[in-house]
């Protein structure tokens, strides 16, 4: 493939950011919106062409027909910084199954958000949001950052775009900079992810120090032609041997490679909001709802999943690191699902749902082993990344339509809206069915593949994740009934009745709803696998149905239906059952409602321990001892100067007398010394 199209895919969002950022204020709001949307639309079309060419062209640089294996192709790779002959930081474009998949996901969701924002970022009277042009500039910057991250040819290039993603998300979360809660949320997201990224950087440095390379292809692949590579477990085994034969010390029972991979995963924990680095994501809902759909549903939060998938052959070499991923993912999934059951803010319910679903993907990668269905967990995790991006973006954009119509994030102000907003109602219902795992919607296929992979690894984790899947169906239909059913919506006197939003907002809902209905039929097993080998000999529209483990699928479907039935009984109509359940388990409900007091714990650690017990004494020592000592020297010098300044009188006779007295004293001292 010629590098022209890949370069344009990266350059066009960057150009839109520069144009809108520098000249946006001189444009009309409509022109800025059209320009930003058109730019992302062109980027999406080019990304689709690139992905289609990779998956279906059959070109020798992308596909080995003899072994039915998808290859990695380095489209371009230019040297930037050279430390040694081998240790070189390059800027390039790597095209392989997961980068091609992410090109489709990022550009699709970003384009839908760009289109949707043309309607969302103005009120019912047609007044545009202040800073509309700036908003579109930041959207373009974020899209450029994510695209650069997923096509990186080396881990240091990924890290640079990783940090740029963090900076652009900070700008988008804090878009309403006059709102204290938005400013606080943006700072919280930035600081928490910076701590995680420190671990990521340390892991990169450790890995590159022993291996002598930053390149993904050198770490995980073997070259089959010029610029064409194949995922190789043997290469990863060779990397493991480098650490095993080196003089590297063992720390706390783990090898240096294990710790390097754990530190790299720490960066993924921050971006993907895994416990205990999850606290930034719910607060990030203070940004505009389209930002929530873009950043916190489909793109930024899956960066951690993508990172683990990119280095998956190395993680296979260290089962201890894989076990850590499983444990962190499973705990996070259950925690977030339980918290989501008690929240009343519609965006926070979806935020905790995102945390739980990302954790599903992490668990799927953690349990993946080549010996079980050719690494089914890897394919399932990537499959769920794809399907989740579509239906979760749909749910967030539906939430934005509801908030835009009602003027509140609180579901208690949204009862009985199915008659007033039929399009939003139907599309939101499709999103709920998809995430609940109801056949034939997208989430059914990807989630059941994850559960199958989990069962192949451990019965404990299978039961655990099945319970989380049941909770997911329960809290999503709890939200659905409370918004669209419960009781008739009462329009306040003097207010317009809520209604479906303009076509710029409803069209993305319809498109994403259609995708959520059929995305589960994409034969992901022949498109994205950990080593590129196709899983199916013959592919048709019903391939995924035939490949399912129906014993697992049937149980998960029954669990989902039972959870939906329970939500229907409790929340379709106003009744005392929710209050009775709350009163029956008051402590559990209180802990879930307060997010298990994680925020309070962090506030205690930062304010009481770090600020109060550490920073405050250090500040006192600096102010009173260090600064006080310097101030004392200055005071003594000043007083001494005031004391002797009378000697500088300008009287020549006095100077002569002082000179003679001094000379006599020196003479006397000299005489005494010579005697």
């Amino acid at each position: 493939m010629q590098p022209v199209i890949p370069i344009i895919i990266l350059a066009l969002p960057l150009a839109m950011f520069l144009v809108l950022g520098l000249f946006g204020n001189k444009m009309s709001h409509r022109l800025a919106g059209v320009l930003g949307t058109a730019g992302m639309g062109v980027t999406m079309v080019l990304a689709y062409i690139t992905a289609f060419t990779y998956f279906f062209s059959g070109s020798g640089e992308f596909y080995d027909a003899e072994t039915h294996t998808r290859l990695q192709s380095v489209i371009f790779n230019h040297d930037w910084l050279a430390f040694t002959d081998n240790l070189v930081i390059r800027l390039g474009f790597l095209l392989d199954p997961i980068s091609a998949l992410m090109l489709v996901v990022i550009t699709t969701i970003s384009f839908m958000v760009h289109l949707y924002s043309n309607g969302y970022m103005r009120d019912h009277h047609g007044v545009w949001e202040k800073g509309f042009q700036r908003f579109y500039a930041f959207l373009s910057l974020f899209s450029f950052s994510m695209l650069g991250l997923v096509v990186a040819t080396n881990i240091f290039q990924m890290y640079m775009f990783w940090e740029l993603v963090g900076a652009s998300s900070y700008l988008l979360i804090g878009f309403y900079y006059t709102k204290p809660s938005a400013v606080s949320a943006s700072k919280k997201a930035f600081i928490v992810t910076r701590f995680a990224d420190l671990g990521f950087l340390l892991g990169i440095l450790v890995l590159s120090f022993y291996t002598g390379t930053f390149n993904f292809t050198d770490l995980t692949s073997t070259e089959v032609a010029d610029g064409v590579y194949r995922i190789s477990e043997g290469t990863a085994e060779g990397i493991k041997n480098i650490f095993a034969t080196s003089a590297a010390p063992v720390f706390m029972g783990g090898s240096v490679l294990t710790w390097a991979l754990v530190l790299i995963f720490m960066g993924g924990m921050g971006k993907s909001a895994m416990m205990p680095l999850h606290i930034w994501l719910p607060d990030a809902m203070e940004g505009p709802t389209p930002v929530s759909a873009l950043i916190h549903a489909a793109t930024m939060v899956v960066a951690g999943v993508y990172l683990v998938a990119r280095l998956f052959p190395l993680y296979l070499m260290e089962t201890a690191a894989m076990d850590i991923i499983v444990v962190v993912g499973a705990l996070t999934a259950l925690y977030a699902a339980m918290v989501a059951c008690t929240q009343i803010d519609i965006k926070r319910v979806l935020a905790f749902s995102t945390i739980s679903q990302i954790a599903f993907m992490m668990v799927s990668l953690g349990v993946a082993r080549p010996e079980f269905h050719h690494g089914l967990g890897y394919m399932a995790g990537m499959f769920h990344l794809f399907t989740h991006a579509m239906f979760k973006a749909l749910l967030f954009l539906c939430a934005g339509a509801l908030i835009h119509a009602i003027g509140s994030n609180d579901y208690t102000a949204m009862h009985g809206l199915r008659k007033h907003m039929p399009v939003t109602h139907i599309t939101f219902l499709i999103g709920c069915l998809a995430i609940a795992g109801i056949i034939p919607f997208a989430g059914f296929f990807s989630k059941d593949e994850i559960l199958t992979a989990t069962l192949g690894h451990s019965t404990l984790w299978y039961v655990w994740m099945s319970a989380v899947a049941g909770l997911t169906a329960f809290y999503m239909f709890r939200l659905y009934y409370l918004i669209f059913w419960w009781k008739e919506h009462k329009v306040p006197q003097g207010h317009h009745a809520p209604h479906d939003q303009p076509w710029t907002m409803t069209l993305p809902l319809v498109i994403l709803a259609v995708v959520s209905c059929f995305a589960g039929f994409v034969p992901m097993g022949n498109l994205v696998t950990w080593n590129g080998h196709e899983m199916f000999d013959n592919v048709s529209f019903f391939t995924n149905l035939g490949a399912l483990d129906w014993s697992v699928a049937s149980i998960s479907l029954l669990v989902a239906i039972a959870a939906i039935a329970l939500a229907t009984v409790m929340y379709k109509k106003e009744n005392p059952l929710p209050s009775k359940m709350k009163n029956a388990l008051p402590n559990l409900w209180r802990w879930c409602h307060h997010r298990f007091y994680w925020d309070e714990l962090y506030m205690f650690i930062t304010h009481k321990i770090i600020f109060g017990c550490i920073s405050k004494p250090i500040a006192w020592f600096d102010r009173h001892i260090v600064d006080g000592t310097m101030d004392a020297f200055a005071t003594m010098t000043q007083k001494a100067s005031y004391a002797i300044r009378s000697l500088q009188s300008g009287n020549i006779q006095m100077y002569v007398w002082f000179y003679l007295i001094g000379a006599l004293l020196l003479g006397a001292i000299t005489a005494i010394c010579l005697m």
Side-chain angles (χ1 to χ4, degrees), residues 398-411:
C398 285
L402 293 165
I403 294 168
H404 198 263
I406 302 299
S408 173
N409 293 17
D410 194 331
Y411 70 71

Side-chain angles (χ1 to χ4, degrees), residues 117 264 588 616:
S117 298
I264 290 172
L588 179 61
K616 192 174 180 180

Side-chain angles (χ1 to χ4, degrees), residues 514-535:
V514 172
V515 174
S516 298
C517 290
F518 297 103
F521 294 95
V522 175
M524 199 63 68
N526 271 29
L527 301 178
V528 181
T529 56
W530 80 271
N531 58 2
H533 290 299
E534 295 179 345
M535 298 179 67

